[in-house]
Amino acid sequence: MPLEYWRPWAIFSITRGIGTPLYLDDHTMKKIGFFFSRVLVDIDLLSLLPNHLLVEHSGFTFIADVEYEWLPPFCSHCKMIVQDLAQCRVFNVQGQVVGPQHQSF
Ligand SMILES: [Zn+2]
């Protein structure tokens, strides 16, 4: 991958495929190593979160892998962030977790 893609503006541009980028960590800002970059991103938990992004720019194309360092426990049934998925009152019936639609990331 060309070095220009490691510049903050490029990383922010690529990250917009996931959500709104807010912050790059020091390691990424100081361009220490070019294996990965860490970006704080404001995302919509109701949207499908990709594991890869197709990046196309100036005739150069590549796939950027995406890893989520942390995601809040999100109940896809209630559409809410919950403290403990097993304690979702809507999803649980008599203390047992039921239904395949209730999942965390
Ligand atoms: Zn729930």
Side-chain angles (χ1 to χ4, degrees), residues 34-84:
F34 294 107
F35 299 107
F36 65 91
S37 50
R38 295 176 70 215
V39 186
L40 177 64
V41 182
D42 183 21
I43 59 173
D44 178 0
L45 291 173
L46 294 175
S47 67
L48 194 61
L49 300 178
N51 292 318
H52 308 281
L53 293 171
L54 176 63
V55 180
E56 297 175 308
H57 180 71
S58 299
F60 186 75
T61 303
F62 66 95
I63 302 279
D65 292 330
V66 178
E67 291 185 23
Y68 300 92
E69 189 171 290
W70 181 81
L71 290 168
F74 181 75
C75 177
S76 58
H77 183 80
C78 303
K79 312 290 186 216
M80 295 177 59
I81 294 173
V82 295
Q83 209 160 27
D84 184 354

Side-chain angles (χ1 to χ4, degrees), residues 1-15:
M1 183 167 70
L3 289 178
E4 70 182 84
Y5 291 102
W6 292 103
R7 293 182 178 157
W9 64 265
I11 294 170
F12 267 51
S13 179
I14 293 167
T15 310

Side-chain angles (χ1 to χ4, degrees), residues 75 78 88 91 102:
C75 177
C78 303
C88 174
F91 188 71
H102 197 265

